[in-house]
Amino acid sequence: MKTNELRIGNYLNGKQGRVIVTEIRTNNSVKIHDNTSSFYVGICLTPIEITKEWLFNFGFKDIGLNMSGSNWLVKEQKGIWRQAIRIAYNERSEEWSLTLECVSPPTLSIARLKYVHQLQNLYFALTGNELNCKL
């Protein structure tokens, strides 16, 4: 993980447990909430792998298995078109994938994801809204 992959508000693992990025610095370090020290990414801060627990805390709902055997979780969006962001875990490939489903245009597979900060960043890019949860 590199500093340029992060945004303010991303969740990471730190020495104290889960932390939130509050400032990104040019020397490849970040500042975390309630702390005046900066930490270097990859040394003291590491990415958090996506789990169902994280997705539930972000407001995704389990809608069960699809035909390919992937378990889907969905977070609905309201707008001009009704759309949903779906996350699936494929047990065979052991990968999470994100799909955007709309009335028009049809379903679009966006990306494969591994870490919480990747999901946060992609979700914000697609919706303009932050994914927040309680630590």
Side-chain angles (χ1 to χ4, degrees):
M1 174 181 63
K2 297 179 182 176
T3 307
N4 65 357
E5 296 177 35
L6 300 175
R7 293 180 55 250
I8 293 171
N10 282 157
Y11 296 100
L12 299 172
N13 281 323
K15 288 182 178 180
Q16 310 89 346
R18 293 189 177 122
V19 297
I20 301 172
V21 174
T22 59
E23 182 181 328
I24 298 172
R25 299 181 177 175
T26 57
N27 65 349
N28 286 333
S29 67
V30 298
K31 186 175 171 187
I32 59 173
H33 75 93
D34 296 331
N35 198 325
T36 57
S37 300
S38 62
F39 294 91
Y40 290 97
V41 172
I43 297 173
C44 296
L45 300 172
T46 57
I48 300 169
E49 288 198 17
I50 296 173
T51 63
K52 280 188 180 181
E53 181 181 13
W54 271 99
L55 295 172
F56 292 146
N57 287 334
F58 282 136
F60 285 82
K61 296 179 183 165
D62 193 337
I63 59 171
L65 294 174
N66 70 5
M67 291 177 58
S68 69
S70 296
N71 193 52
W72 287 91
L73 292 99
V74 64
K75 187 170 179 74
E76 292 185 9
Q77 301 298 310
K78 305 291 185 217
I80 297 173
W81 294 286
R82 185 165 186 222
Q83 53 183 291
I85 292 181
R86 296 180 186 254
I87 303 286
Y89 183 74
N90 185 312
E91 291 186 13
R92 284 180 275 172
S93 65
E94 298 181 346
E95 291 180 317
W96 292 95
S97 60
L98 184 138
T99 301
L100 180 61
E101 296 202 7
C102 302
V103 175
S104 177
T107 302
L108 177 63
S109 181
I110 303 288
R112 291 185 177 143
L113 305 169
K114 186 172 182 176
Y115 300 115
V116 168
H117 74 276
Q118 293 171 321
L119 174 60
Q120 287 180 282
N121 297 348
L122 187 54
Y123 187 86
F124 181 80
L126 292 171
T127 68
N129 296 313
E130 298 287 350
L131 275 178
N132 295 310
C133 71
K134 295 179 182 176
L135 284 177

